[in-house]
Amino acid sequence: MRIEKRLHDSQLMVYLSPLLALLLTLISGALLFALLGRPPLGSLYTFFIAPISDLYGLSELAVKVTPLLLCAIGLTLCFKAKIWNIGAEGQFVFGALIGGAVTLQLAESEGFWVLPVIIASGALAGMAWAAIAALLLTRFNANEILTTIMLNYIAVNLLLWAVHGPLKDPDGLNFPESALFASQTLLPVLFEDYRVSIAIFIALFMLVVIWVVLTRTLLGFQLRVMGENHNAARFAGFNSKKLIWLLLCFSGAMAGVAAISETNGPVGQLIPTLSLGYGYAAIIVVFMGRMHPLGILLASCLLGLTYLGGEMAQIDQGLPKSITGLFQGMLLFYLLACDLLISYRVVPNSRSVKPSAITQ
Amino acid sequence: MDIGLIENILFAMVRTGTPLLLVALGAMMSERSGVLNLGQEGMILVGAACGFIAAYAGGSLGLGVLAAVAAGIFVSLIFAFIALTLISNQVATGLALTIFGTGLSAFLGAAYVGQTVTGFAPIAIPFLSDIPLIGQALFAQDLLVYLSFILFAAVFVVMRYTRLGLIIRAVGENPEVAHALGYKVMVVRYCAVMFGGAMAGLAGAYLSLAYTPMWSEGIAAGRGWIALALVVFASWRTERILFGAWLFGFASILHLLLQGYGYEISPNLLAMLPYVITIIVLVMMMYRQKNQGLFAPRSLGQPYHPLK
């Protein structure tokens, strides 16, 4: 067997590849469970189906989808333009930190403006954090992969500093945690007894917004051109620096809103381990979702499910919760491997050397 | 400042710089052959977890180091297969390796959090370790630090004086020409990536068996990424990597110095220093690039397929 370049990229494989990757991940997962001495199919059921087999489970999935989708919405635009923003995690954490500080300030305040102010503060903070990378990239040409990663570590340490110091709950038992947020500063939940909040509507609304931007606006066209050919974009007179600023700031703002959806939602305070790697998982969402709005919605459901599945595997099977990361990593590996089939096809070795085929 | 303090600082600097040196040497080798492997962080973590588990279960530090190196090579092979044989985007594949390695190491190591082993102890070399100022830093370290010196010298000699070094560079500069000259581009790249995996695994073993002899989730703490920046900082030159690694080691222990002088700064804020310095160094390098060029291997990160 060998591989041979296709004349044209296969559109079918573009959409089949994520499904193939999921299938391979499930097979590997079954093997892994068998290796650990667990029933393979039963464990897969526990991981992928049991968590969403009732209404509460589905609402919990929506809780996980919210931050993932928000982060992925911003990253989609960046990645389309080939700006490798790996910093959603840091933008999330910094957004949570500032949003949390504002929330604690507003603990006594009442009024319709409280929540919008909190959400805006998170968005602005995320935006500011991304703007650092934009500045370093446009002004100094510093590789955005490395700067955004470094900013992730810096943001996490800032959060640790805050919950060990200035934002630590004075009435707490000396735990590195902030005070619990006041109830009027929390995002309203959609249904009583369920944790899913109105933030899911913000996420879905922004999803429609980027859909329109990508397909119906000059901006969407510009960033697609920039992603495909940097020089063409320059010759066409697009201001790539402006675009970099815009995309990184938008992406940071989305990560900041994602942070508020967690801190002022199910978490309800600042804790050291706020983000469960949503910023990194969102990268997988964007690739799995083929950078298409509908695709990233489906992919964020799948990635959200890996979080629920990990929790379920821990409760039900006594497996470490970090099995979530293992599944996420496998998913991306398999996806990248399957993407070979978009531009190449696998042919048996014998085919190309058949003389009869040439003479006919 | 008394001489004892300087000696202590230099000693800690070399210790802290060692994992960076190991990873950066491996990453440089793989980048010199034209492969950008952003999965260093993941490979360190898998190496650290496997090394600790093997040393804990097998009761032997040597076994731990071997397991760490083997694990590093194994995960680097996954990367090589997808990125080289299956011609994927190297940036995305490297990220995948980091995500996968972070998950795998946390999963494997979960049962070992909080356990300890007796780590590598310093071995002072007689006479040499008595040299004032640098004696302690260079000749009173543990075995893995000495190994890092040897590996540095080996990489230096290979890259500068041997035919093998020339071949690796040729493959990284222009794989088509190297292929036309009869060199096996794929084999060279596979080997370079595996060397990177072995070095990252070794760095992992250093972290979990010598530096802090224990396993904790995310023990690499961004060292894989700092090492990647270090390679840029060093302009892909071996001798500058040594200098850079120790410089970063020094930056990471600045807080000891500040504490020595009685400054009270939150440890969490000080922990940000290496990352801040990495950004500053990157900016400085890119500024210099405008005048002198960046010396990156020309085909770095470009997919190559001989049957294209």
Side-chain angles (χ1 to χ4, degrees):
Chain A
M1 289 216 305
R2 59 189 187 80
I3 51 178
E4 174 179 286
K5 199 157 172 78
R6 291 179 197 268
L7 274 178
H8 302 287
D9 283 1
S10 158
Q11 278 305 305
L12 179 68
M13 280 316 298
V14 170
Y15 300 111
L16 269 187
S17 168
L19 296 177
L20 210 55
L22 175 60
L23 186 69
L24 288 168
T25 304
L26 290 177
I27 294 171
S28 308
L31 285 174
L32 176 73
F33 285 126
L35 215 67
L36 294 167
R38 306 292 202 291
L41 289 179
S43 303
L44 278 186
Y45 179 85
T46 310
F47 197 95
F48 285 101
I49 304 198
I52 48 165
S53 53
D54 56 10
L55 213 55
Y56 185 76
L58 283 171
S59 77
E60 281 300 289
L61 183 63
V63 170
K64 294 290 178 208
V65 164
T66 308
L68 280 174
L69 189 54
L70 279 164
C71 289
I73 284 169
L75 293 185
T76 297
L77 296 194
C78 285
F79 288 2
K80 272 239 180 216
K82 293 240 165 66
I83 300 167
W84 296 104
N85 174 15
I86 315 298
E89 184 79 2
Q91 291 143 21
F92 180 103
V93 169
F94 194 68
L97 173 56
I98 302 299
V102 170
T103 305
L104 291 170
Q105 283 297 314
L106 296 178
E108 309 286 318
S109 310
E110 298 273 351
F112 70 92
W113 52 272
V114 169
L115 271 176
V117 164
I118 290 170
I119 295 173
S121 68
L124 284 174
M127 193 188 281
W129 207 243
I132 301 176
L135 175 75
L136 294 171
L137 178 59
T138 53
R139 177 77 181 76
F140 301 104
N141 200 23
N143 180 301
E144 76 276 19
I145 299 178
L146 290 173
T147 55
T148 50
I149 288 261
M150 290 300 128
L151 286 166
N152 289 350
Y153 287 103
I154 294 171
V156 167
N157 278 304
L158 273 177
L159 175 67
L160 285 175
W161 164 74
V163 293
H164 278 101
L167 297 184
K168 185 156 82 176
D169 183 4
D171 306 323
L173 296 165
N174 215 20
F175 283 118
E177 294 172 356
S178 80
L180 290 174
F181 292 169
S183 61
Q184 85 283 1
T185 59
L186 295 179
L187 295 165
V189 291
L190 293 183
F191 315 100
E192 222 173 300
D193 299 330
Y194 294 95
R195 300 199 302 167
V196 55
S197 77
I198 55 161
I200 185 82
F201 288 126
I202 304 179
L204 291 173
F205 174 72
M206 292 314 297
L207 192 68
V208 175
V209 168
I210 64 155
W211 201 335
V212 173
V213 165
L214 279 174
T215 54
R216 296 274 180 277
T217 65
L218 178 64
L219 178 68
F221 177 67
Q222 285 185 344
L223 66 92
R224 281 209 311 274
V225 171
M226 191 166 136
E228 261 147 48
N229 191 330
H230 220 92
N231 282 333
R234 226 184 47 223
F235 289 135
F238 300 160
N239 186 339
S240 66
K241 284 193 179 178
K242 213 165 105 186
L243 212 53
I244 290 171
W245 273 96
L246 189 69
L247 295 180
L248 274 170
C249 285
F250 174 74
S251 173
M254 287 298 100
V257 176
I260 301 300
S261 82
E262 278 285 294
T263 52
N264 294 52
V267 180
Q269 64 181 139
L270 290 182
I271 52 174
T273 52
L274 252 185
S275 173
L276 305 169
Y278 296 126
Y280 296 117
I283 298 171
I284 309 178
V285 168
V286 177
F287 282 117
M288 281 290 281
R290 313 275 78 168
M291 305 192 198
H292 185 281
L294 201 60
I296 62 171
L297 179 61
L298 292 173
S300 55
C301 291
L302 177 63
L303 267 289
L305 189 53
T306 60
Y307 285 103
L308 298 183
E311 282 166 19
M312 199 63 133
Q314 185 180 34
I315 297 166
D316 211 57
Q317 311 249 344
L319 290 170
K321 210 162 119 185
S322 40
I323 194 166
T324 295
L326 197 52
F327 269 96
Q328 291 178 350
M330 280 198 290
L331 212 48
L332 186 52
F333 261 149
Y334 280 128
L335 179 78
L336 293 166
C338 293
D339 275 353
L340 169 84
L341 297 172
I342 294 174
S343 303
Y344 294 83
R345 62 179 164 205
V346 181
V347 290
N349 245 347
S350 54
R351 210 174 81 177
S352 57
V353 288
K354 247 187 214 157
S356 60
I358 297 171
T359 49
Q360 270 165 11
Chain B
M1 204 192 293
D2 65 310
I3 196 149
L5 181 63
I6 300 178
E7 278 183 339
N8 283 341
I9 290 170
L10 289 178
F11 179 80
M13 175 187 89
V14 171
R15 251 172 80 76
T16 316
T18 296
L20 295 175
L21 174 63
L22 290 169
V23 181
L25 284 175
M28 184 214 49
M29 197 68 116
S30 123
E31 289 184 21
R32 268 293 173 97
S33 81
V35 186
L36 179 65
N37 183 354
L38 295 183
Q40 307 294 334
E41 181 82 0
M43 300 195 297
I44 302 175
L45 284 168
V46 173
C50 293
F52 184 85
I53 294 168
Y56 185 82
S60 144
L61 289 175
L63 193 69
V65 172
L66 281 181
V69 171
I73 293 177
F74 175 72
V75 287
S76 77
L77 269 175
I78 303 179
F79 169 85
F81 179 71
I82 296 175
L84 301 179
T85 303
L86 301 184
I87 325 169
S88 69
N89 178 327
Q90 292 180 10
V91 170
T93 314
L95 281 173
L97 178 54
T98 287
I99 293 173
F100 177 77
T102 309
L104 179 65
S105 62
F107 182 73
L108 292 174
Y112 298 87
V113 174
Q115 311 284 5
T116 50
V117 293
T118 316
F120 281 96
I123 299 169
I125 298 173
F127 307 117
L128 286 174
S129 58
D130 297 331
I131 301 173
L133 223 54
I134 57 163
Q136 292 288 311
L138 296 181
F139 303 109
Q141 299 278 8
D142 59 65
L143 272 178
L144 291 183
V145 176
Y146 295 138
L147 184 60
S148 80
F149 296 166
I150 296 170
L151 286 164
F152 164 76
V155 170
F156 182 78
V157 169
V158 165
M159 290 316 277
R160 175 162 286 198
Y161 297 111
T162 68
R163 192 177 168 78
L164 177 64
L166 269 177
I167 295 172
I168 293 172
R169 275 150 62 182
V171 165
E173 290 294 325
N174 196 329
E176 280 82 13
V177 169
H179 177 71
L181 287 172
Y183 297 121
K184 302 237 181 290
V185 173
M186 281 301 200
V187 175
V188 171
R189 289 192 166 178
Y190 257 91
C191 290
V193 170
M194 281 160 66
F195 178 75
M199 294 297 268
L202 188 59
Y206 179 76
L207 289 176
S208 68
L209 296 177
Y211 194 67
T212 48
M214 51 178 263
W215 162 254
S216 65
E217 232 176 85
I219 194 173
R223 287 184 178 85
W225 296 103
I226 294 178
L228 283 165
L230 194 57
V231 177
V232 179
F233 168 74
S235 310
W236 290 266
R237 301 256 292 269
T238 320
E239 67 280 5
R240 291 191 193 169
I241 282 181
L242 180 72
F243 173 69
W246 287 352
L247 195 72
F248 270 87
F250 177 70
S252 312
I253 53 146
L254 263 182
H255 61 281
L256 293 180
L257 198 62
L258 291 172
Q259 276 164 1
Y261 280 107
Y263 289 102
E264 277 290 325
I265 302 179
S266 147
N268 299 114
L269 289 183
L270 288 168
M272 297 178 357
L273 257 182
Y275 313 115
V276 175
I277 291 172
T278 305
I279 291 181
I280 294 172
V281 162
L282 272 175
V283 167
M284 276 164 37
M285 284 311 295
M286 293 303 160
Y287 191 74
R288 222 190 60 180
Q289 171 204 10
K290 280 187 184 155
N291 312 321
Q292 302 180 13
L294 198 61
F295 314 107
R298 214 157 296 154
S299 75
L300 183 60
Q302 304 292 324
Y304 171 76
H305 186 231
L307 300 168
K308 201 157 28 178

